Structure formats: C-alpha cells, structure tokens
Amino acid sequence: MNASMNRAASLARKELMHIMKDPRTLLIVFIMPLLQLVMFGYAFDMEIHMIPVGVIDRDNSTESRRLIETFRGSDLFRLSEAGAGSGDVEASFQSRKTRAVLVIPPGFGKDLARGPAADVQMIIDASDPNSAQLMKNYFGQVLAGFNESGGRGGAMPFDVRTSILYNPDLKSAFFFVPGIVAMIMVMICALLTSITVAREKETGTMEQLLVSPVRPREIIAGKVLPYVFLAFLDGTFILVVGILLFGVPFNGSLLLMVGLSTLYIITALSLGLMISTVARTQQVAIMMALTITMLPTIMLSGLVFPIESMPKPLQLFTYIVPARYFLQIIRGILLKGSALAHLWQPALSLLVMTSILLTVAVRRFGMKLER
Amino acid sequence: MDETRMTGTAGREAGGENDPRTGRAMDTVVRTRGLTRRFGSFTAVDGVSLDVGRGEIFGFLGANGAGKTTMIRMLCGLLMPSGGEATVAGFDVYRESEGIKRNIGYMSQRFSLYEDLTIEENIEFYGGIYGLKMDEIRVRRDALLEMLGLQAEARKLTRDLPLGFKQRLALGTALLHDPKIVFLDEPTSGVDPRVRRAFWDVIHEESKKGKTVFVSTHFMEEAEYCHRVSIMRDGKVIALGSPGELKREYGRSTIQDVFIEVASGRTAAGGGEARAGGSGDSAGPAGKGGEGS
C-alpha cells in the first residue's frame, strides 16, 4: 500500500512538472477564464436597450400621440419616425434602421374613449428570436405603463408588482460567473486529463509505465490528483475574480460548495478518463473532449440558454450533462444561499452519475492498460 | 550474493558458444513453450519455444513483421499471449505480470523519456516508480550521468539532447532499478555506429554482471555481438544458435548471409526443416523444445 502510494506520488509529481513547464496549460487555465469573464460579464449583456423602433401613426389623435410619447419616455426604445405604408417596414428591417415598428390604426383614439379596448399593432423583426421575445415583453411593459397613466381611465382590473429576488439588478455576471466556473472545471478535468494520457500513449512513455510495477489505478491517481488540485485552484480564482470584479455574492456555505464541487470535478475527471481509454492521439482526445464535454456544458446545461426554452428531445438530453446539475448547485449556493436540503436533488443526480462514470472509467482504463 | 553469480555466468558465456543448450545447469530466466499470439486471423507469433539463461545476450533477428516485437511485448507483460506457456524470471506471464514487471527493464523502439523534463528529473521519476529510495536514486543518477558524461547537462531539458545521448540515457534509465532481465526492442535504430558501439559496451557490461539481455535488431553486425541469436520469420523461430554455430551450419561467413538465406525463405524449406526441426515442435536445432513438450 505504501509502495503503491509512493508510486502514485511519483506520477503526480511528474504530472505537476508537465503542467508547470507548459505555458499553454497555464494560459488555458488562468488567462482563458479571465477573458471569458470579461466577455460574458461585460460584453455579453443579455438585456437590450434603446431598441430602434419605427412608428406609423395612422390615427394622429391626441391619444395616439400620447402613446408615442410614452414610448419615447422609456429608455427601452428609441423612436424613429417611419413613413406610412407597410413597404417601408420591410425596407427599414432590411436596412436594420428599426427592429420593430409600432402601428397605430386609424380610430385608435376613438376606440379608446369608447372602451373596452383599442388595438395597436407591433411588428417585430424576429431574425434574432431571443431579442424578439424581449422586445415583445418590453412592449407589453410600456403599454401597461400607458394604461396605468390614465389611458383607459385607470381602470386596470388588477395590478402586477414584480419583486426580483437574488439578483435584483438582473446583472448577467451573476448568471455567467458560476457558469464559467462550471465550464472551466470540465475543461481542466476532462480536456486536460484526456490530453495528458493521450500524449503518453503517443510518445510511447505510457508503454514504459506499463512495463514498470506501476498499476493502472496508480496511473489514474497520479494523473488525476494534480488536475483536481488545478481545478480547485482555478475555480477559486474565477470565483474570487467574479466576486471582486462583478460583485457576485457568496450567500451559501463554503463547505457545501467545496463538497459538491469535488463531486462535480470527479464526474468530469471520469469523463476525461473514459475519453482517454478511447483516444490514442492528442488530436482525437481534444476533439472528443470538446464534443462530449465542452459543447454540452456550454449549450445544454443552462449555462447560456435556458433549458426550458429548448425543444423537448434536447431537454431530455440535458439530464445527462453533469454541468446541468452543478449549475443549479453553484447558482443556488452563490445567489440564493441554498443549503443541502434544497440542493439534494441535483447533488444526488451528480452522485449517481459520478459513481457510474467512475466505475466504468476505472475499469475500462485498467483493462486498456493491462493488455 | 551477486558477485559469486557474476563470475559463474561469466564463465558460462564461453561455454555457451560450444553448447548453449545445457539445459538445467544454465539457470534459465526466460522459458517459453509453444508461445503464440494471434491478432484476429493473423498469427504474429506462432508456437515459439525458447530457453534463455542468466547473463545471456539473446538476439532476435527478423524482417519487420516477423514477430520480434510481439514476442518481446508478451514477455514484458504488455500483451497477453493467445496460447502456450512462458515464464520470465520465474513468473508466469498470464498470472504473475506484477512479479515480471519488478524484475525487467524495457526499452522500446520509440524514445521513452519525457522530453519536457530535465535529464535528472527523468532519472528521478523512473527511479521513483520502481520504488527506489531517494538516496539510492541519487547515487545511481550520479553514476549514470557520469557514465554518459552528462553531469554538466543534468538540468537541461531532455529534448535538447542529441539522439545518441537520448538513446543511451533511455537505456540507462531502463537499467536504473537493476533488473534481472532487460528487453531492448531495436534500441539502436537511428543512431550512428559510434553510439551503437557505446551501446553494446553497456550491454556486454550488464551481461557480465549477470543480467540477461534480450535485444531485437535488424543490424546484422550487432547479431555478431550476441551470445545466441534467433531468426524469426512469419512468427516462427526458424534458426537458433550462437553466431558461430549458425555460420557453420549454413556455411556462411557472416550472420548477414545466414539471415538472407534463412529469412528470405529461399532455402527455408530445405535448411529450415533439416536444421531447425520445422516450425511446430521446437525452436532450437536440438531437442530442447521436445523436452519441454
């Protein structure tokens, strides 16, 4: 046992040397998350402001002008007068002068005075469906404001007041920082481990290890431990930067965070080991790690796109993406201060997944290495 | 303990020339009987029976694909045989690969050191995975560096070494844990004759210390340095004996000529059957394989 641990320690020490001597690894590990933080945190703002909107007023009444003023007063929209005629709508969308057009039909003022309702039309450029959806929502907001301010004599049947919890300013950084942690951890664990195993196969040093008394599980430990360490270091680094730079809160328990992160890291490492049992070259390892782990983590975990808005078959697929569960966990802990009692479901899913993956990976790794 | 056995084997070498098949007396460390490995329908090694003694330098000759590498990989525990028996250092290849691994050194065709580590880091790492203690590693590391004349370069990256030094360093690390048997799979391919000479000096040195050296090569002049050589073709050992014996047997003046005659298969039907006793029952010209079966 002692000899076994010594051998694993020798391997781990050597692996650390590889990491320290390769500037590319350090670049990936520390510079890339910084760039991503800046990209997602500042540039990738999901909110849209000052949407250029054209107005076609066919009524030209006091009421219609008041409606237009309400729109002008909102910082969500920027009005540009468009001439009458629907041909112009098409042209203004094509030239991207406007992204939505408000059409007030003739008789709007009269209808409004007579009640119960008057119609207006909003034509939206939905070539980008996400912002189209947002525009539709904003449009509703502005109309609600118009109604409230006496457009219909204050006769709203009910009044909706929204309280936004956990992220009251709706800052996108709060949403993305945990996501970047999830992504970088997968990348370090799955991508870097599978690459380092593949590299040993490629250069022939793996064979040299296999004729030595080193056992497969010692190779696994020696390969995996340095990356666990690195993943923790990097996760902490990203979180600290996120907290200092973007004011991301840390409301939950640090211990819970560490524990569940470990679980997630082991899941990702098992995936990396699985890949390395198949991939013979670094190229193949990179391709596989990217398609099996990185892509689903970015696209299908709820990191960028909400799972609820995905087509049903894809939604089913998200259940096997580990980051799906980890995102619930890390967002819960950071933003909502969730305790284990709230997070047992994703935690259990992750645990089941890890046990299966790790068992299969270790067994496959051992088999592949022995013969 | 090693001292006495060293002299013993050194003495045996001379005798090996006359009769390498004195069986029990020669302290067999590698023994195979009908060892076979198939890859699908292709039989890479086909019923090979061999006995190799302590301190012996045993050469594997053969064209590419003749089965040399497969043979060595099976004996090292890297590849499971499809059939037959084999023991290495007294350990069974099927069940006791752990025991084999503790007792062998191995150097493959491919360069097997870490290019991004320094020379001493490589040596220390390989010492570490063989369970050597740090002070032992230091002593052996310094001895190895001195032998290679690389003391000043110890902290340089291995990738910056000339190929000849890399190969000799790889050999040195393969020997670092003082294994009983060393397997060298075409260790000298790609190095110049001078380095090859230095390589063989080390091999002879180790043989004198009682180490058994298995070496595959396609340099025929290297075959002359071996105590015994076996020539493989299509997975079978078709000729086996000391270089002198083989030359006499086939009436040629060099192993190269023997090899061309035997391995090309031109006269294999006649010579092979007459001398090597066919493929199936025995590897050697004499009755050793027969005894085993």
Side-chain angles (χ1 to χ4, degrees):
Chain A
M1 200 58 227
N2 202 8
S4 179
M5 269 163 63
N6 284 341
R7 287 192 293 259
S10 282
L11 285 160
R13 202 176 316 121
K14 184 213 64 168
E15 200 59 41
L16 275 177
M17 287 187 214
H18 289 314
I19 296 171
M20 312 264 264
K21 286 179 186 218
D22 189 4
R24 279 172 308 176
T25 313
L26 294 175
L27 205 72
I28 288 177
V29 169
F30 291 104
I31 304 300
M32 210 170 91
L34 268 186
L35 288 178
Q36 281 168 335
L37 275 174
V38 170
M39 242 173 58
F40 283 124
Y42 289 119
F44 203 91
D45 197 344
M46 290 286 256
E47 299 284 303
I48 38 180
H49 300 285
M50 304 299 280
I51 304 157
V53 171
V55 176
I56 300 172
D57 186 357
R58 294 213 173 97
D59 187 41
N60 223 345
S61 63
T62 332
E63 289 303 315
S64 73
R65 275 190 295 273
R66 205 168 63 77
L67 179 62
I68 294 169
E69 283 315 305
T70 315
F71 268 88
R72 184 164 287 144
S74 152
D75 63 351
L76 298 173
F77 297 104
R78 182 169 52 80
L79 292 199
S80 62
E81 306 292 333
S86 58
D88 287 337
V89 176
E90 177 77 30
S92 72
F93 282 172
Q94 291 289 358
S95 60
R96 292 189 65 83
K97 275 194 196 117
T98 64
R99 301 186 58 193
V101 173
L102 172 71
V103 183
I104 305 172
F108 169 76
K110 258 184 252 162
D111 286 351
L112 203 62
R114 220 178 295 142
D119 293 329
V120 287
Q121 188 189 18
M122 189 76 170
I123 307 169
I124 297 173
D125 168 9
S127 52
D128 172 359
N130 277 327
S131 28
Q133 191 64 42
L134 278 173
M135 283 188 261
K136 195 176 147 215
N137 294 342
Y138 293 165
F139 182 62
Q141 277 176 35
V142 174
L143 279 188
F146 174 76
N147 286 339
E148 213 169 286
S149 69
R152 293 196 54 228
M156 277 285 279
F158 53 83
D159 181 13
V160 179
R161 300 259 162 112
T162 316
S163 304
I164 299 168
L165 297 182
Y166 309 129
N167 186 1
D169 299 330
L170 294 172
K171 282 188 191 154
S172 57
F174 284 22
F175 185 72
F176 281 120
V177 168
I180 293 171
V181 173
M183 186 169 71
I184 291 291
M185 280 184 169
V186 155
M187 208 181 64
I188 292 177
C189 297
L191 185 63
L192 296 187
T193 17
S194 57
I195 289 178
T196 164
V197 175
R199 184 173 56 193
E200 296 230 17
K201 286 190 201 166
E202 227 172 88
T203 55
T205 47
M206 185 56 87
E207 207 167 71
Q208 204 65 41
L209 296 182
L210 293 181
V211 294
S212 80
V214 168
R215 300 199 182 118
R217 64 184 134 91
E218 293 157 10
I219 297 182
I220 292 177
K223 282 282 170 201
V224 152
L225 287 177
Y227 290 98
V228 171
F229 171 71
L230 196 64
F232 258 113
L233 200 70
D234 213 18
T236 313
F237 169 72
I238 299 166
L239 271 186
V240 168
V241 173
I243 289 166
L244 293 181
L245 214 59
F246 298 103
V248 175
F250 197 125
N251 291 325
S253 138
L254 182 62
L255 195 69
L256 187 63
M257 181 75 184
V258 171
L260 295 180
S261 301
T262 312
L263 194 59
Y264 178 62
I265 287 174
I266 297 174
T267 318
L269 284 169
S270 315
L271 275 173
L273 285 177
M274 291 266 253
I275 293 169
S276 63
T277 60
V278 183
R280 279 167 195 275
T281 64
Q282 297 181 65
Q283 292 276 335
V284 176
I286 292 171
M287 290 308 295
M288 289 184 69
L290 287 180
T291 43
I292 295 176
T293 64
M294 289 290 284
L295 225 55
T297 301
I298 297 171
M299 311 301 282
L300 297 174
S301 67
L303 195 157
V304 180
F305 309 110
I307 294 172
E308 293 77 15
S309 67
M310 291 171 192
K312 270 275 174 257
L314 273 188
Q315 281 196 29
L316 284 179
F317 191 75
T318 62
Y319 286 105
I320 58 165
V321 179
R324 177 204 159 104
Y325 304 107
F326 184 64
L327 277 174
Q328 288 177 23
I329 291 169
I330 185 174
R331 282 180 180 151
I333 294 177
L334 289 182
L335 306 182
K336 299 197 236 174
S338 306
L340 187 58
H342 309 114
L343 296 174
W344 68 269
Q345 254 179 328
L348 188 68
S349 308
L350 217 47
L351 187 68
V352 170
M353 212 159 168
T354 304
S355 334
I356 297 173
L357 277 176
L358 192 64
T359 316
V360 176
V362 168
R363 190 164 297 172
R364 267 193 69 90
F365 197 82
M367 255 165 34
K368 283 278 160 184
L369 287 187
E370 300 247 272
R371 300 304 159 197
Chain B
M1 167 192 108
D2 261 26
E3 283 302 316
T4 49
R5 305 195 77 174
M6 258 183 227
T7 41
T9 41
R12 198 197 52 71
E13 275 168 41
E17 187 74 2
N18 303 323
D19 187 0
R21 292 161 246 104
T22 40
R24 315 281 170 260
M26 78 180 210
D27 203 0
T28 303
V29 291
V30 176
R31 179 178 186 276
T32 74
R33 290 294 176 270
L35 195 63
T36 300
R37 172 70 202 207
R38 282 181 288 272
F39 294 101
S41 60
F42 171 69
T43 306
V45 169
D46 191 358
V48 171
S49 301
L50 291 173
D51 286 87
V52 179
R54 194 164 180 279
E56 192 170 6
I57 301 175
F58 188 86
F60 266 122
L61 304 186
N64 289 333
K68 296 169 292 178
T69 297
T70 307
M71 188 72 196
I72 288 182
R73 289 174 61 86
M74 280 194 285
L75 295 178
C76 289
L78 284 174
L79 199 65
M80 201 56 130
S82 313
E85 301 164 26
T87 56
V88 175
F91 296 99
D92 183 79
V93 287
Y94 292 97
R95 294 183 307 274
E96 298 169 315
S97 63
E98 299 297 324
I100 293 177
K101 287 172 183 178
R102 276 197 306 274
N103 285 292
I104 60 166
Y106 171 73
M107 185 186 160
S108 68
Q109 285 155 296
R110 290 192 289 174
F111 179 65
S112 53
L113 299 173
Y114 296 93
E115 302 237 333
D116 57 334
L117 301 189
T118 65
I119 294 165
E120 63 177 14
E121 281 165 349
N122 264 301
I123 299 174
E124 285 160 16
F125 168 68
Y126 279 111
I129 60 170
Y130 279 96
L132 299 183
K133 294 196 180 60
M134 200 53 215
D135 43 345
E136 273 177 303
I137 294 177
R138 274 193 212 104
V139 171
R140 294 183 193 193
R141 175 197 68 196
D142 293 342
L144 177 58
L145 288 175
E146 198 189 320
M147 188 191 86
L148 296 173
L150 287 176
Q151 294 105 315
E153 278 88 1
R155 275 155 212 256
K156 278 195 183 163
L157 289 186
T158 310
R159 96 161 52 93
D160 298 330
L161 274 181
L163 182 67
F165 275 106
K166 281 185 188 173
Q167 296 287 81
R168 288 172 65 199
L169 180 62
L171 176 64
T173 47
L175 293 167
L176 198 70
H177 58 288
D178 199 19
K180 290 199 177 88
I181 306 161
V182 197
F183 293 93
L184 308 173
D185 192 3
E186 299 193 2
T188 53
S189 47
V191 301
D192 62 58
R194 208 161 40 91
V195 175
R196 221 181 294 155
R197 187 63 243 180
F199 226 92
W200 277 93
D201 287 343
V202 174
I203 290 175
H204 276 283
E205 202 63 36
E206 296 299 326
S207 155
K208 282 204 193 97
K209 287 190 215 159
K211 281 194 180 54
T212 303
V213 182
F214 259 83
V215 55
S216 78
T217 181
H218 50 242
F219 292 110
M220 291 306 144
E221 83 271 17
E222 288 189 346
E224 310 270 0
Y225 307 144
C226 297
H227 297 143
R228 277 196 303 160
V229 294
S230 66
I231 298 177
M232 288 190 78
R233 185 164 63 89
D234 299 333
K236 299 183 177 87
V237 170
I238 49 175
L240 177 78
S242 71
E245 282 174 330
L246 288 181
K247 282 185 271 190
R248 247 175 283 131
E249 203 171 292
Y250 290 91
R252 304 285 164 172
S253 58
T254 63
I255 286 291
Q256 171 132 25
D257 293 336
V258 174
F259 180 78
I260 289 168
E261 175 160 344
V262 175
S264 65
R266 262 187 299 157
T267 61
E273 257 169 58
R275 288 303 304 164
S279 50
D281 64 337
S282 168
K288 191 143 204 195
E291 279 170 42
S293 62

